[in-house]
Amino acid sequence: MQQKIIILDFGSQTTQLIGRRVRELDTFCEILPYNKYPEDDSSVIGVILSGSPYSVHDPEAFKVELNRFVNRKPVLGICYGAQFISHTLGGRVEKADSREYGRANLQSFDAENPLFKGFTDNSQVWMSHGDTITAIPDGFRCIASTADVKYAAYAAENSPIWAVQFHPEVFHTMQGTQLLRNFVVGICGSRQEWSAASFVDTTVAELKQQLGDDRVVLGLSGGVDSSVVAVLLNRAIGSNLTCIFVDHGMLRKNEFRDVMHDYECLGLNVIGVDASAKFFKDLEGVSDPEQKRKIIGRDFVEVFNAEAKKITGAKWLAQGTIYPDRIESLNITGKVIKSHHNVGGLPKDMHLQLCEPLKWLFKDEVRRVGRQLGMPEHLITRHPFPGPGLAVRILGDITPEKVRILQDADDIYIRGLRDYKVRLSGDEARKVLAAGVPAAMTDGEIEVSLYDQVWQAGTVLLSTVRSVGVMGDERTYEHPVALRAVTSTDAMTADWAHLPYDFMAKVSNEIINKVRGVNRVCYDISSKPPSTIEWE
């Protein structure tokens, strides 16, 4: 039986990050709404309670019945989870004099407690809470403090319960991974059997059993997720898989040609469909972002459906749905946060069963599986790209000429990011290596491209705006473009990337000189939140 950690989600922005950290410890975990603890928990080896935007005193605060797992499974409360345990079991939680947010240091901790095994003195942690624990329940004791937070961590004396008011899952808690390792492996007893290699072996065997001799169709996008699904299925069922790659005319420059070549080199059975004329016709005159998405989504289904019906005997539709897609699509109140193209059902007239081999994986795990499958690195490290493509990076209506302008500008930008090398050390190097980017450490430094250093980059055409410029002896009245690059771990939050000035000057100059229709280049320095990564 596969061991697993249950993470109960109370609405924290970093709940997914807890899950990713546990998976990095080669341990399977499942993120569930706070009120959905499983009836059958025979495979559960531990429970983690996440943070929350609520105070334990709010009338609408999320609550869980602790007796369902307390004293039965090891429990770790994080931030709100720690406050909820204390508040429920007889401790006291009060509003802090000022919000405790940012870096702090453990001035004291119980080095004998298994949760802090291997910790160094003055270890940095990250706080983010408005309430604070002012008294812990009877039968508990303090095991760590900071200068401002007496009960930074506490534990039960005769029960497997631990709680911390800081966030071990975030990057700025320097020994956060060690703390989670102590809990997951040392306390819960994980056998650490979850890995890319074991996932590939197990999933290929399961797919062979599930699909048998049935035929499967898969819609390829050129992105990491669908590409990994294709190679995984190809290993399991070979020629019984047919992939369909639809070109809606708004891919990056030469992308359709290049990706088709990559897929053929991987030995995949791929049908390429150039449907750009249909998409451009149906998008003519449409400026509203949501309307653009709906038209592209509808047309994609129509084109894909028509091609899929030509495949005799197809019984399954494979999709590149990954775990964050399913977590984000419904929040813990049941309201849609963000709709995903891979979540929400199939066209009714297709009569196909759904196959989602990656549905339990986070993005970084998908990339590790791709490497395990021997896929080329440039496919594995591709940045996320929106399903509607450049249509949602063109402000205003869509025309082939606007797409041409954006493709040319974006091509210069992305190639520039790939070609520009930087040397990183310390925290910056750790971030890149933790994301799975292959790089050799030399004298404490690594060399990577700017492309590998950022999470996502792209160009936006402000086609509803024209700016005055001067080229030679003539005035121009053309469009500006905005460059976007962000750093992130999971796209739930993102910060703008601080790209080198010399790189930005070179790229700006090349775009203005070489792309007809552009006379100004801007750089987007907005973070998420409050902005989103994409402009539309």
Side-chain angles (χ1 to χ4, degrees):
M1 181 181 294
Q2 179 177 255
Q3 296 178 319
K4 65 181 174 183
I5 297 288
I6 292 294
I7 301 168
L8 294 181
D9 181 15
F10 288 85
S12 170
Q13 288 188 49
T14 59
T15 299
Q16 282 196 39
L17 199 50
I18 301 172
R20 290 180 66 245
R21 294 288 178 260
V22 173
R23 296 282 184 88
E24 288 167 3
L25 297 171
D26 298 328
T27 303
F28 183 70
C29 67
E30 189 172 352
I31 298 173
L32 296 173
Y34 69 97
N35 57 354
K36 298 294 183 183
Y37 186 78
E39 293 294 331
D40 180 4
D41 64 356
S42 54
S43 62
V44 176
I45 59 172
V47 181
I48 297 176
L49 310 187
S50 83
S52 175
Y54 291 115
S55 161
V56 294
H57 300 295
D58 290 343
E60 64 270 34
F62 300 133
K63 298 177 174 62
V64 64
E65 295 179 17
L66 293 176
N67 58 12
R68 296 197 59 190
F69 45 83
V70 164
N71 296 321
R72 297 181 56 248
K73 309 285 183 181
V75 176
L76 173 64
I78 294 175
C79 196
Y80 175 90
Q83 294 171 0
F84 179 79
I85 292 171
S86 177
H87 176 72
T88 304
L89 299 183
R92 188 165 62 249
V93 176
E94 297 179 297
K95 188 174 184 62
D97 293 335
S98 61
R99 181 173 171 80
E100 292 162 347
Y101 180 83
R103 294 175 178 84
N105 296 90
L106 297 182
Q107 292 192 335
S108 64
F109 63 90
D110 182 356
E112 299 299 316
N113 192 283
L115 194 66
F116 288 107
K117 179 182 178 181
F119 263 56
T120 57
D121 292 341
N122 214 37
S123 186
Q124 178 180 292
V125 298
W126 186 264
M127 296 286 186
S128 180
H129 54 91
D131 289 350
T132 192
I133 297 169
T134 55
I136 55 178
D138 292 340
F140 288 74
R141 62 189 180 89
C142 178
I143 58 173
S145 301
T146 70
D148 299 315
V149 181
K150 179 179 180 180
Y151 299 108
Y154 66 91
E157 294 177 343
N158 298 304
S159 183
I161 304 173
W162 288 261
V164 295
Q165 285 205 84
F166 55 88
H167 286 270
E169 71 274 19
V170 304
F171 180 78
H172 296 296
T173 295
M174 301 307 292
Q175 292 185 278
T177 298
Q178 179 65 35
L179 186 146
L180 291 172
R181 181 189 305 277
N182 290 341
F183 179 73
V184 171
V185 181
I187 293 170
C188 298
S190 168
R191 295 190 295 263
Q192 296 185 281
E193 297 171 331
W194 176 262
S195 66
S198 67
F199 175 84
V200 169
D201 292 342
T202 302
T203 304
V204 167
E206 289 174 348
L207 287 170
K208 287 180 177 179
Q209 182 176 11
Q210 177 188 21
L211 303 174
D213 294 326
D214 292 348
R215 295 188 67 82
V216 180
V217 292
L218 167 64
L220 288 173
S221 67
V224 179
D225 304 332
S226 66
S227 300
V228 171
V229 168
V231 176
L232 196 60
L233 280 165
N234 187 56
R235 181 169 292 192
I237 63 173
S239 60
N240 279 346
L241 169 68
T242 301
C243 304
I244 301 171
F245 185 24
V246 177
D247 181 7
H248 50 40
M250 285 149 284
L251 300 173
R252 282 184 157 133
K253 187 174 183 177
N254 299 325
E255 186 169 22
F256 185 67
R257 180 199 68 193
D258 294 344
V259 171
M260 282 294 293
H261 175 73
D262 285 334
Y263 286 152
E264 288 164 4
C265 290
L266 287 169
L268 300 178
N269 177 24
V270 185
I271 298 171
V273 183
D274 181 359
S276 53
K278 172 180 174 59
F279 283 87
F280 279 125
K281 180 177 182 298
D282 291 347
L283 286 167
E284 189 173 342
V286 177
S287 298
D288 179 73
E290 189 62 24
Q291 190 68 12
K292 289 183 199 175
R293 290 179 179 273
K294 287 180 178 178
I295 291 170
I296 293 171
R298 180 200 68 200
D299 284 4
F300 180 87
V301 169
E302 289 178 3
V303 173
F304 180 84
N305 201 3
E307 292 297 324
K309 286 180 177 178
K310 298 176 185 177
I311 302 170
T312 305
K315 295 184 179 180
W316 296 84
L317 173 67
Q319 292 190 155
T321 309
I322 63 175
Y323 199 30
D325 294 342
R326 300 191 296 129
I327 296 170
E328 289 177 7
S329 292
L330 285 177
N331 72 1
I332 55 181
T333 63
K335 297 177 182 178
V336 173
I337 298 174
K338 175 183 178 185
S339 59
H340 288 263
H341 60 282
N342 283 342
V343 179
L346 308 175
K348 293 180 180 179
D349 61 343
M350 289 187 73
H351 304 296
L352 297 176
Q353 300 177 74
L354 191 59
C355 177
E356 299 175 304
L358 306 183
K359 66 182 180 181
W360 290 108
L361 298 189
F362 289 98
K363 177 71 78 174
D364 51 342
E365 292 177 307
V366 174
R367 290 192 167 106
R368 286 201 288 271
V369 167
R371 292 187 179 99
Q372 183 68 31
L373 290 166
M375 293 173 60
E377 194 64 28
H378 70 271
L379 271 180
I380 295 169
T381 57
R382 279 185 56 131
H383 288 176
F385 188 65
L390 300 179
V392 293
R393 293 181 179 175
I394 296 174
L395 305 192
D397 65 330
I398 309 298
T399 67
E401 174 62 9
K402 290 179 181 178
V403 171
R404 192 274 308 165
I405 292 172
L406 184 53
Q407 284 178 332
D408 288 348
D410 186 70
D411 184 58
I412 291 170
Y413 180 38
I414 298 301
R415 281 192 294 104
L417 288 168
R418 289 188 182 278
D419 291 343
Y420 193 101
K421 305 301 183 192
V422 292
R423 296 194 67 81
L424 305 174
S425 61
D427 289 352
E428 290 300 318
R430 288 200 300 123
K431 284 182 185 178
V432 172
L433 293 173
V437 175
M441 183 78 76
T442 305
D443 297 329
E445 291 186 328
I446 60 172
E447 183 178 82
V448 295
S449 69
L450 281 178
Y451 185 89
D452 287 333
Q453 192 182 2
V454 304
W455 167 269
Q456 185 173 346
T459 311
V460 180
L461 176 64
L462 282 64
S463 73
T464 57
V465 176
R466 288 184 182 272
S467 69
V468 176
V470 178
M471 291 188 181
D473 295 325
E474 296 182 356
R475 289 169 67 85
T476 61
Y477 196 55
E478 296 178 329
H479 300 297
V481 295
L483 307 182
R484 181 77 157 137
V486 298
T487 57
S488 182
T489 54
D490 52 18
M492 299 293 287
T493 60
D495 194 12
W496 61 279
H498 296 221
L499 301 180
Y501 287 163
D502 62 329
F503 165 79
M504 297 180 73
K506 181 177 183 297
V507 165
S508 172
N509 187 60
E510 189 173 352
I511 289 173
I512 292 172
N513 285 337
K514 292 184 178 180
V515 181
R516 181 171 40 86
V518 175
N519 68 353
R520 192 177 299 271
V521 175
C522 310
Y523 187 58
D524 183 348
I525 59 170
S526 310
S527 297
K528 175 187 178 182
S531 301
T532 54
I533 295 175
E534 299 292 345
W535 279 42
E536 288 192 346

